[in-house]
Amino acid sequence: MNPVVLVLQHMGRRATTLLPFSLLLGLLFQDFAAATRPLLMPLAVTLLMLALARVDWNRLSALLRRPGLAIALSLLNLIAVPLVVWPIWQGLGLWPGLVAALCLSAMAPGIISAATTATFLRLDSSLALLISLFTNFLVPFTLPPLALWLLGLDLKIGLLDLSLRLGLIVALALIGAIVIRRFLGTKVTEAGPALDGLSVAVLMIFAIPLMDGVVARALAEPMKLGGFIAGAFAGMLLCNLVMAVGLLPILDRRIALTAGYCSGGRHNALLMAVLPVTADPDIFLFIAAVQFPIYLIPTLLQPLYRRLLPS
């Protein structure tokens, strides 16, 4: 067998072990991190393409034929979860910038990589993919009014611009996924571990530009950055818990846990594009800090999901 394929298969089987090391790449290569920021969109397309190629298309088709569940879960993520967690953060007496960032994070859409990591965690990757896509399409309608109402922030999101940007990402990824599946044919299931390994490699590269400037902030304000990283972990876990616990009594366990996982993982980088220049700079510090739980939480939660979702 091709040695590259063997390495990718090994990486796919060790996904949650390798993901935390992704952060080290970005922290060690800070100059490279700044230079690779233009790669964020191509890498996002590649991640979604691999998720689409790997996902169970029969399950995805079934969900698309009856999209009500995915749409309902997406709206709960974007509206109900922020309304639940907002008073909790407000009442803890944290830094105002951290409180605002945690609330904004809970209003943000799901990250595209959730479908990739859901595969490693035995969750419903097809549902995770749809929740990520639907929340990204719906967020221009939900984020501005919630941010203005709860935080007094006027976010003038360009609906057409965001929709076209996401539409381009989805279209390119779908074309790539179709090409991959047609090339592999009946071997697509057999190639699954190698595709997982390739996704891990892309996630590791993806972490590099996201760590741009983190070392400088750590040296300048180590205690504050540490506090923001702790807050980011708490924020992701709380959103996950609120969604999962709320749904477990009424939905299948795998669906409820998948929705919770998607609620924890949010596309916080979107906030960089829509926040006004007058926004608290601590919010931007949080966007860097939240990358740590995004890459570490799949590893931390894997034993729990394996216990709750036996194969």
Side-chain angles (χ1 to χ4, degrees), residues 224-242:
K224 193 167 192 177
L225 179 61
F228 272 55
I229 291 174
F233 270 98
M236 284 188 66
L237 291 172
L238 179 62
C239 287
N240 188 332
L241 187 66
V242 166

Side-chain angles (χ1 to χ4, degrees), residues 81-82 85-86 88-90 92 94-108 151 227-239 263-264 266 268 271 282-283 286-287 289-290 293:
V81 171
V85 301
W86 174 71
I88 296 174
W89 299 129
Q90 287 284 340
L92 290 178
L94 304 172
W95 288 294
L98 179 56
V99 172
L102 285 165
C103 294
L104 281 170
S105 178
M107 302 173 198
L151 303 173
F228 272 55
I229 291 174
F233 270 98
M236 284 188 66
L237 291 172
L238 179 62
C239 287
S263 185
R266 304 286 182 142
N268 291 276
L271 302 176
D282 280 353
I283 297 176
F286 177 86
I287 294 171
V290 79

Side-chain angles (χ1 to χ4, degrees), residues 36-51:
T36 54
R37 286 188 71 85
L39 294 177
L40 281 173
M41 183 171 174
L43 289 170
V45 171
T46 305
L47 273 177
L48 181 56
M49 177 184 69
L50 292 170

Side-chain angles (χ1 to χ4, degrees), residues 75-295:
L75 289 172
L76 286 173
N77 260 329
L78 292 173
I79 300 173
V81 171
L83 292 176
V84 171
V85 301
W86 174 71
I88 296 174
W89 299 129
Q90 287 284 340
L92 290 178
L94 304 172
W95 288 294
L98 179 56
V99 172
L102 285 165
C103 294
L104 281 170
S105 178
M107 302 173 198
I111 51 174
I112 297 298
S113 61
T116 301
T117 49
T119 301
F120 310 142
L121 300 174
R122 300 179 181 170
L123 297 170
D124 188 334
S125 58
S126 301
L127 180 61
L129 179 61
L130 280 188
I131 291 175
S132 296
L133 293 176
F134 285 158
T135 52
N136 275 275
F137 277 119
L138 292 169
V139 75
F141 301 99
T142 61
L143 180 56
L146 276 175
L148 184 62
W149 177 33
L150 299 180
L151 303 173
L153 280 173
D154 187 6
L155 302 181
K156 296 179 173 64
I157 293 181
L159 174 60
L160 181 62
D161 177 59
L162 278 180
S163 299
L164 287 175
R165 192 185 314 170
L166 184 67
L168 177 62
I169 290 173
V170 173
L172 291 173
L174 182 58
I175 292 169
I178 291 172
V179 170
I180 290 173
R181 290 181 70 91
R182 287 193 174 176
F183 175 77
L184 293 173
T186 57
K187 296 181 179 179
V188 66
T189 302
E190 180 185 335
L195 291 175
D196 290 343
L198 191 55
S199 296
V200 172
V202 174
L203 279 168
M204 294 179 77
I205 299 169
F206 198 71
I208 295 174
L210 293 175
M211 290 292 101
D212 182 25
V214 172
V215 171
R217 290 301 298 262
L219 294 173
E221 301 175 284
M223 295 298 293
K224 193 167 192 177
L225 179 61
F228 272 55
I229 291 174
F233 270 98
M236 284 188 66
L237 291 172
L238 179 62
C239 287
N240 188 332
L241 187 66
V242 166
M243 191 73 169
V245 170
L247 294 174
L248 277 171
I250 56 175
L251 290 177
D252 172 80
R253 179 182 292 182
R254 191 162 180 249
I255 292 175
L257 293 176
T258 300
Y261 181 71
C262 291
S263 185
R266 304 286 182 142
H267 185 193
N268 291 276
L270 171 73
L271 302 176
M272 296 177 70
V274 300
L275 283 169
V277 293
T278 55
D280 192 327
D282 280 353
I283 297 176
F284 297 99
L285 176 63
F286 177 86
I287 294 171
V290 79
Q291 304 310 318
F292 288 87
I294 284 175
Y295 276 80

